Amino acid sequence: AVGSNVLAPAGGKAEKVWVLDSTPPTISLVSSEAVGHETLQVTLQLNEPGTVWCQAAVQDTDPDYGIYCQSSQIQDSNVNSPCHFENYVKGSSARLTVFRSEVHTAYRDVDIEVNRIMREDKTRSIKLKREYPYHIFCFAEDDWAIEASSASPASPSFSAPASPNKIA
């Protein structure tokens, strides 16, 4: 309540109040180009701080690449599938296929360079072929879980988010 004297309010200030962020980040493609014989660079923006990953996939019609995830195999309905969207795009550090960037400021360009493709069974990876038309898939999640959980002091009604908001 403000009270009867508007020059000396009796309350109404609420510090450290967080509004729940339930929306995933939006990815904007700025550009994509080959920056070397075996390296593709994707320039992206997010509309909020977060992390973005990218990964190459082969065309559906290439018989030479049958042991790699093809574009039509990338899906998000079966998490146990070797070509599950989020798991595939996030890559494997052991196979040198983690291509990501932390986005600290909204609407600022970030570059991700992709230079390898992982086998469908995730046992190994190879360098990208020269002059081959790969499909690039990107995935992003925001920093909401980190930001909200590390705020001090927390709101009295705060409950930690289970996971970040994600977008494909």
Side-chain angles (χ1 to χ4, degrees), residues 108-141:
R108 180 156 303 172
D109 289 359
V110 293
D111 295 325
I112 299 177
E113 292 188 355
V114 178
N115 59 16
R116 299 186 75 81
I117 187 167
M118 186 168 44
R119 285 177 56 136
E120 188 175 322
D121 63 7
K122 297 183 173 61
T123 58
R124 63 183 201 155
S125 68
I126 62 168
K127 291 181 182 179
L128 298 181
K129 277 190 203 180
R130 293 178 182 196
E131 299 184 25
Y132 182 84
Y134 292 96
H135 293 203
I136 301 294
F137 289 87
C138 296
F139 173 85
E141 58 188 33

Side-chain angles (χ1 to χ4, degrees), residues 58 60 66 68-75 81 83-85 120:
V58 298
D60 297 335
Y68 298 90
C69 287
Q70 296 176 336
S71 294
S72 65
Q73 294 174 305
I74 307 292
Q75 51 75 36
S81 166
C83 300
H84 177 261
F85 182 79
E120 188 175 322

Side-chain angles (χ1 to χ4, degrees), residues 16-21 143-162:
K16 310 295 182 190
V17 174
W18 284 73
V19 176
L20 176 64
D21 176 1
D143 286 346
W144 165 246
I146 296 167
E147 296 288 335
S149 297
S150 62
S152 177
S155 172
S157 60
F158 173 74
S159 61

